[in-house]
Amino acid sequence: MNYRSYSLANFEHIPQVRNYLSKDDIDAVKIIGSVLPFKINNYLVNELIDWDNFRNDPIYHLTFPQYGMLSGEDYILMQQAIARGANSTQLAEVASNIRKRLNPHPGEQLTLNVPVVDGSIIKGMQHKYDQTVLFFPSHGQTCHAYCTFCFRWPQFVGDTELKFASREVSTLLSYVRSHPKVTDILFTGGDPMIMSARMLMAYLEPIIEADLPNLSTIRIGTKVLGYWPYRFLTDTDADELLRFFDRIAARNINLALMAHVNHPKELQHPAAQKAIRRVLNTGVQIRTQSPILNHINKSAETWRDMWNLQVKLGCIPYYMFIARDTGAQDYFSVTLEESSYIFNEAYRQVSGLGRTVRGPSMSVDTGKIEVMGVTEIKGEKVFQLRLIQCRNAAFVGKIFYAKYNPDAIWFSDLEPAFGETGFFFEDKKELLNL
Ligand code: SF4
């Protein structure tokens, strides 16, 4: 299949858009899509979205901007700007002002996790946890389509100030060499699997050839199985790519695709299943992750079915996340209480092989906080929480408690339980490099 993408400029040419969407739906795409990124492709449009039931279709919500993804005031601001015929500079200014209100840097990624060597910032890398360095290859900073919930949305709206990107594999190598605790390099984006086989090899070959004694795993964060499985099937360099995966496995480096899968529908398609088989045959692992999202996967049955299907196909369920505090968070948010309930309900209904999954987890500046559930201790109803990743490994595994708040959707909505004045890590900022 040949890849064809659509954006704000040409989405009205899609026959299904003309046949099914109302004028209000189309206006909403134009208004929201002027603020948040929008890109979709022919596979999603023709093969995954059920247009006869598109308002309830998870893939439609996952990819098409729609009413509710901006606050009412911001929606009207952009709507009015478009209606009065604002020129592109004026529209960009309205969009830029709205974006600033959408918390474009959750977890303070721009400043907190950027490695500094000899007083200089290393661009295009992040190092938050001892074992794992994130690398943002500059040629992999876009995707086959954009997810409406994406917390990396600022990277796709042309604001270079908000972009992480690096061409510097040599800097990455020296950094990993001089940090012996690092065992994993995570290629992330965007979607690094947007790159041609040749380009991906240009980044990965030097890492493999460097024979770093501390490096055990290269991870690639990707949505390609859900958005363009033909990457491993009919793209002109699909076979070359898979042969390269074979070569990596032969060098005793564990290569893992960290696959974003938000709904079982993405893996039910025969092309996705065939792509998974081809990838697994090379010895590459596939681990799966997704946030829990209103309108897309907010039910225990959906998660149970998703984990079961993943295990059946040979993938390893890895994370359920909480939708981050950025972009269209309000549209997708599920309360912490309900997220934890859904996780536990689904977890109970899968076999031990599906229970490799962790969560629901919030990625905050301190680390990853798992919402274990709601319980009662000494007469007080509380959230039981656990740090499952932390900027300081000494705190990993630590359980702590927050006052019960039925409306909480993010960590900032929580307060310490039992009359304490702060969470245990809040007076340990030096230990956390905060
Ligand atoms: S594929 Fe990943 S990086 Fe790209 S828009 Fe979706 S969540 Fe964001």
Side-chain angles (χ1 to χ4, degrees):
M1 184 184 278
N2 290 326
Y3 174 79
R4 170 142 196 224
S5 82
Y6 300 93
S7 65
L8 213 50
N10 64 352
F11 80 99
E12 286 179 274
H13 298 163
I14 299 172
Q16 292 90 334
V17 166
R18 289 206 301 270
N19 293 339
Y20 288 90
L21 265 57
S22 68
K23 181 178 177 311
D24 285 351
D25 294 326
I26 290 175
D27 284 349
V29 175
K30 290 179 182 167
I31 291 164
I32 311 277
S34 300
V35 177
L36 297 170
F38 170 48
K39 178 162 79 168
I40 191 160
N41 67 45
N42 50 330
Y43 170 68
L44 294 163
V45 166
N46 296 327
E47 310 264 330
L48 281 203
I49 296 175
D50 173 6
W51 288 98
D52 288 327
N53 186 26
F54 76 96
R55 288 192 196 286
N56 297 315
D57 186 274
I59 309 301
Y60 178 75
H61 286 272
L62 184 61
T63 51
F64 271 85
Q66 49 203 286
Y67 192 75
M69 291 184 182
L70 286 181
S71 72
E73 300 82 50
D74 286 339
Y75 189 90
I76 289 169
L77 271 178
M78 184 49 84
Q79 186 179 39
Q80 289 175 338
I82 293 173
R84 68 174 174 266
N87 62 33
S88 56
T89 312
Q90 293 162 332
L91 286 177
E93 194 183 334
V94 176
S96 168
N97 288 333
I98 295 173
R99 287 174 192 143
K100 284 179 193 149
R101 290 193 281 279
L102 299 177
N103 189 25
H105 308 301
E108 300 191 44
Q109 302 174 68
L110 207 60
T111 49
L112 272 186
N113 306 318
V114 182
V116 176
V117 173
D118 297 333
S120 305
I121 281 175
I122 305 185
K123 283 198 170 169
M125 279 172 55
Q126 288 186 356
H127 192 190
K128 185 170 180 182
Y129 308 123
D130 285 346
Q131 292 82 7
T132 309
V133 169
L134 275 63
F135 183 74
F136 296 75
S138 57
H139 297 87
Q141 298 311 306
T142 183
C143 309
H144 290 94
Y146 290 139
C147 309
T148 39
F149 70 83
C150 180
F151 78 92
R152 296 242 171 96
W153 62 269
Q155 295 198 54
F156 311 128
V157 290
D159 190 339
T160 47
E161 193 191 320
L162 306 177
K163 250 184 190 168
F164 305 104
S166 180
R167 294 164 188 267
E168 294 294 330
V169 178
S170 55
T171 314
L172 171 69
L173 288 176
S174 358
Y175 188 82
V176 174
R177 208 173 266 121
S178 59
H179 289 77
K181 283 188 186 168
V182 172
T183 56
D184 293 37
I185 295 173
L186 169 58
F187 270 63
T188 185
D191 187 340
M193 292 312 303
I194 197 93
M195 289 191 273
S196 67
R198 292 251 159 111
M199 187 56 72
L200 191 66
M201 283 154 71
Y203 282 103
L204 291 182
E205 293 267 25
I207 300 175
I208 297 159
E209 294 306 323
D211 249 337
L212 299 168
N214 46 323
L215 183 67
S216 76
T217 300
I218 298 172
R219 309 186 203 174
I220 301 177
T222 183
K223 178 82 181 151
V224 70
L225 292 169
Y227 278 178
W228 190 247
Y230 301 101
R231 183 75 197 86
F232 302 110
L233 304 176
T234 56
D235 277 7
T236 49
D237 61 354
D239 290 347
E240 190 183 357
L241 180 64
L242 293 168
R243 281 196 302 270
F244 179 54
F245 285 180
D246 273 331
R247 277 200 352 250
I248 296 179
R251 296 295 296 263
N252 281 334
I253 290 182
N254 180 28
L255 182 61
L257 292 193
M258 314 306 290
H260 300 205
V261 181
N262 308 112
H263 193 275
K265 200 172 171 182
E266 292 171 67
L267 299 186
Q268 282 159 359
H269 195 283
Q273 299 196 359
K274 196 169 172 197
I276 289 171
R277 279 198 299 278
R278 293 201 88 199
V279 169
L280 292 178
N281 280 342
T282 67
V284 167
Q285 275 186 5
I286 302 175
R287 292 182 185 258
T288 55
Q289 57 194 34
S290 168
I292 181 165
L293 300 160
N294 195 10
H295 304 288
I296 293 178
N297 59 27
K298 198 183 81 163
S299 84
E301 293 71 33
T302 304
W303 283 89
R304 174 200 63 200
D305 293 350
M306 188 154 69
W307 292 334
N308 275 336
L309 180 57
Q310 288 164 0
V311 169
K312 186 172 172 185
L313 295 172
C315 307
I316 306 168
Y318 186 48
Y319 263 118
M320 174 200 275
F321 291 113
I322 303 280
R324 290 178 81 148
D325 52 339
T326 182
Q329 182 196 23
D330 287 346
Y331 187 81
F332 292 112
S333 64
V334 180
T335 66
L336 300 186
E337 182 175 25
E338 192 172 9
S339 301
S340 160
Y341 174 82
I342 288 172
F343 179 94
N344 288 320
E345 271 300 300
Y347 192 82
R348 280 183 203 114
Q349 298 178 56
V350 297
S351 82
L353 291 189
R355 293 186 188 164
T356 46
V357 70
R358 300 189 291 179
S361 163
M362 292 177 276
S363 293
V364 300
D365 54 3
T366 310
K368 287 192 172 71
I369 297 176
E370 178 190 21
V371 184
M372 299 177 78
V374 175
T375 186
E376 197 170 302
I377 295 180
K378 294 184 191 160
E380 183 175 337
K381 200 171 179 185
V382 291
F383 278 111
Q384 181 161 320
L385 308 166
R386 184 166 64 132
L387 268 173
I388 50 175
Q389 257 300 10
C390 184
R391 297 169 70 79
N392 185 330
F395 299 137
V396 172
K398 178 111 172 138
I399 290 176
F400 61 107
Y401 297 90
K403 272 187 200 166
Y404 173 67
N405 172 359
D407 302 319
I409 59 169
W410 192 247
F411 188 61
S412 52
D413 300 324
L414 298 179
E415 292 172 27
F418 314 128
E420 288 169 12
T421 52
F423 292 109
F424 78 93
F425 47 78
E426 285 177 346
D427 59 355
K428 299 181 175 61
K429 301 230 178 218
E430 337 68 76
L431 294 177
L432 293 163
N433 291 326
L434 286 170

